[in-house]
Amino acid sequence: MKFGGTSVASSEARQVAALRVISAKEQGFRPVVVISAIGRKGAPYATDTLIQLLREIDPKVEPDTRELDQIMACGEILSSVIFAQTLKTLGHPAQAFRGDQAGICTDGVYGDARIVAIEPAAIQKSLEAGYIPVICGFQGMLQLPGLPAGELTTLGRGGSDTTASAVGAALGSECVEIFTDVDGVKTCDPDSVPSAPTLNKVGYDEVAEIAHLGAKVLHPRAAEIAMKYSIPLWVKNTFSDLPGTEIVPGGHSERTITGIAHTGKLVYVDFNLSALSESLRTQIAASIFSVLAENNINLFMTNIGQSALGFAVPREQFPRFRELFDGLIYPEGNTFHLFQVGDQSSTLRAQENLLPKSAKKVRVEAKTTEGCTIVSVVGKQYLARAGVFFGILRTLAENSIPVLQTSDSEYSFSCLIPEAECYRAVRLLHETLGLSEVQ
Ligand code: ADP
Ligand code: MG
C-alpha cells in the first residue's frame, strides 16, 4: 500500500491512510506500506522544499546530484517514522525502514536511479514479528560491483510508485495499491478537465505509455515492474471508497482511447547538420546521443532527418544540455566543428580563440525553441484505425494551435505545441474524441 504526498499531508490525512492499512490487516492481509514525503510543493517537508534549502544558498551554483539525493531522501525518512508512529498510536506496531534498510539496491545514477535488486529479508522479518513495515519510497542504496557501496540514491520524481511495485514483486504480494488524491487513472489530467472520467480497467502497457507521456498519476516504471512480475496493480483514492483503477494485462482495456496526456515544459533543440558529409553526420549524431545518454538527459520526440537532428529535453535539464554542448569542439582531420546552442553562445567565442588560426572551422548550430509541451493521445485500438492522425491535427489546426513536431508509436500520437496552449489542446481533444462519454 503506497501513499503519496497528499495522502500523508496532515495528521487527519495520515489517520485516514493508517485506517486503510489497519483495515487491510483486519481482513487478514499482511500490509507493507511505502510512503512519500509529507505534502506537495510548498509544504515544509516536501521534496521541493528540501531541494530549495540547498539551492537558495546560491542559486548560481548547482548542487551535486549526490548531495541533492541525500537531502531529498530526508523527506521520506521523516514521513515513514511519523506514519509508523501513527499506526502505533492506533494500536498496531509498525517499523520504519529507509530504502537501504529495506534492501532496495540501485545503480549509481543519482537523481534517477534504477532498482537492480531487492533483498527483502529485513521486511520479511519485520512482518513475521507482527509489525507493519513502513518503507521510505523514492530512495535506495547504490549496490553495484566496482562502485562505492552504501551510497544513497533516489529513483526520480514519482519514484515511490516504483518502490511500491518493486517491493510488491520482491515479496510476491497479492497486489500493489497506489493511494493518491484522485479516484484513479483518468482520461486526462483532472487539472485540465475536472470532470474527466476514471478508467475502471486499463492495460499495463497503456498506463505505462500514458505515464511516460506525462500523466504523473503513476510512475511508468511502476507499471512496467508490475507487468513484468504479473503483480495486480491498483490506483485508488485515499479519501474515497470508490473502487479505483485496476491495471490489468494488455487487451482488457475498456476503452479504445485510454486518454490524453501532456508533459511538463520542454525545450525543442534542432541541430542543423546540413554542412556535414553523410558519414560525418552519422558520427556526430552518434556522439550527440552518447553524450546525452551518459548524462541521463531525457529525450522526447527524437527526429533524425537527412540534414537535421531534433529532440525535446525537459526544461530543468536544458541548462545541463547547454553546458554539455555549447562551445563543444568536434575535431575531424584538419577541421574543427564548433557547437553552438541557441543564438547567444557565451562559450563559443572563447573556444574558437583557442584554435589555431589556420584551422578550418565549421559551425554546428542548434536552434532552440523554449516553452514547448507535448500533448498525446494514447490508445492502441484507436491508433490502429485509419485517419486518426488527421483527425487530431485537424482539431488542433481548426483551433489555431500550432503543431511544431509530431511523433507516434503503436500506442500513442504526440504533438509538440506551445506550452501556453497545453490546457486548451487537452480540453479540445478530450471533448472532440468523446472521452467524457462512456465508450
Ligand atoms: P501522489 O503524491 O499521490 O503520488 P501525484 O501528484 O504524483 O500524487 O499524482 C496524482 C496527480 O496526478 C493527480 O492529483 C492529478 O493532478 C495528476 N494527474 C495527471 N494526469 C492524470 C490522469 N490521467 N489521471 C489521474 N490523475 C492525473
Ligand atoms: Mg506520484
Side-chain angles (χ1 to χ4, degrees):
M1 302 178 80
K2 178 259 169 175
F3 294 93
T6 42
S7 300
V8 293
S10 63
S11 61
E12 293 78 24
R14 290 190 289 271
Q15 290 272 331
V16 175
L19 290 174
R20 291 207 176 275
V21 178
I22 292 165
S23 155
K25 194 175 163 190
E26 285 170 353
Q27 286 167 51
F29 294 104
R30 288 197 296 174
V32 175
V33 177
V34 172
I35 214 93
S36 295
I38 294 175
R40 283 234 175 102
K41 200 167 184 163
Y45 306 111
T47 311
D48 286 298
T49 312
L50 302 173
I51 297 174
Q52 187 57 21
L53 280 175
L54 213 52
R55 289 230 159 98
E56 71 192 10
I57 300 170
D58 182 349
K60 291 192 291 301
V61 184
E62 181 61 22
D64 287 338
T65 51
R66 177 180 181 275
E67 275 58 38
L68 272 171
D69 273 7
Q70 302 239 12
I71 203 160
M72 283 196 283
C74 297
E76 276 71 16
I77 296 175
L78 210 92
S79 184
S80 66
V81 178
I82 289 172
F83 198 77
Q85 180 67 9
T86 305
L87 286 166
K88 187 177 176 191
T89 58
L90 294 169
H92 293 266
Q95 283 183 321
F97 289 85
R98 294 189 310 265
D100 59 328
Q101 293 172 319
I104 297 167
C105 308
T106 74
D107 65 16
V109 182
Y110 296 112
D112 197 21
R114 281 178 189 252
I115 297 176
V116 292
I118 293 196
E119 289 154 12
I123 300 301
Q124 275 155 341
K125 209 166 142 199
S126 173
L127 280 170
E128 268 144 37
Y131 290 101
I132 300 174
V134 180
I135 304 172
C136 292
F138 176 61
Q139 58 179 251
M141 182 184 61
L142 202 175
Q143 188 109 70
L144 278 184
L147 288 174
E151 287 282 299
L152 213 151
T153 53
T154 69
L155 311 179
R157 300 310 287 272
S160 293
D161 299 337
T162 311
T163 306
S165 275
V167 168
L171 293 171
S173 302
E174 298 273 340
C175 78
V176 171
E177 295 175 316
I178 307 288
F179 285 95
T180 183
D181 64 341
V182 285
D183 292 337
V185 180
K186 293 177 171 279
T187 50
C188 78
D189 187 342
D191 289 347
S192 306
V193 181
S195 63
T198 304
L199 302 164
N200 298 323
K201 242 184 210 189
V202 61
Y204 288 114
D205 42 6
E206 289 186 322
V207 95
E209 183 84 354
I210 206 170
H212 268 298
L213 293 169
K216 67 170 182 165
V217 62
L218 185 67
H219 196 287
R221 272 181 223 152
E224 287 160 6
I225 293 172
M227 173 158 67
K228 184 167 168 194
Y229 295 96
S230 301
I231 304 285
L233 183 65
W234 287 84
V235 177
K236 297 185 178 189
N237 192 337
T238 305
F239 309 105
S240 97
D241 286 320
L242 291 168
T245 301
E246 183 183 11
I247 298 161
V248 294
H252 291 90
S253 297
E254 52 173 14
R255 283 168 175 262
T256 49
I257 305 181
T258 313
I260 318 281
H262 65 88
T263 62
K265 297 168 182 172
L266 304 169
V267 180
Y268 193 75
V269 180
D270 204 5
F271 281 98
N272 181 349
L273 306 179
S274 59
L276 312 177
S277 70
E278 195 185 324
S279 68
L280 195 59
R281 261 202 314 266
T282 316
Q283 270 176 50
I284 289 194
S287 309
I288 291 173
F289 285 123
S290 96
V291 172
L292 291 165
E294 270 164 33
N295 289 278
N296 300 298
I297 306 244
N298 297 322
L299 302 186
F300 295 88
M301 289 216 158
T302 307
N303 193 338
I304 306 175
Q306 281 290 323
S307 58
L309 173 65
F311 45 77
V313 297
R315 195 177 61 169
E316 318 80 73
Q317 291 192 318
F318 182 67
R320 175 80 184 129
F321 170 85
R322 188 176 4 224
E323 199 177 276
L324 289 166
F325 287 95
D326 194 37
L328 184 81
I329 300 173
Y330 188 97
E332 168 70 19
N334 242 347
T335 310
F336 292 91
H337 299 90
L338 293 135
F339 281 63
Q340 173 176 348
V341 177
D343 296 335
Q344 281 162 358
S345 170
S346 49
T347 38
L348 190 66
R349 200 154 302 122
Q351 299 284 78
E352 206 165 3
N353 289 338
L354 294 173
L355 298 175
K357 289 261 175 320
S358 59
K360 191 176 166 214
K361 295 157 202 152
V362 176
R363 289 273 170 113
V364 177
E365 285 177 26
K367 195 176 135 222
T368 58
T369 313
E370 297 194 36
C372 302
T373 196
I374 296 172
V375 171
S376 310
V377 176
V378 179
K380 195 177 176 192
Q381 286 181 54
Y382 178 69
L383 289 157
R385 293 183 193 164
V388 295
F389 293 179
F390 172 66
I392 295 165
L393 292 171
R394 189 179 52 196
T395 300
L396 298 176
E398 279 172 356
N399 290 282
S400 311
I401 297 176
V403 174
L404 313 169
Q405 188 71 247
T406 65
S407 72
D408 64 276
S409 76
E410 198 183 341
Y411 291 92
S412 61
F413 179 65
S414 302
C415 300
L416 186 75
I417 63 165
E419 179 201 316
E421 299 286 13
C422 178
Y423 287 109
R424 202 160 69 91
V426 170
R427 281 198 298 269
L428 281 164
L429 289 171
H430 195 267
E431 196 187 313
T432 48
L433 295 171
L435 287 175
S436 290
E437 291 122 48
V438 180
Q439 289 183 349

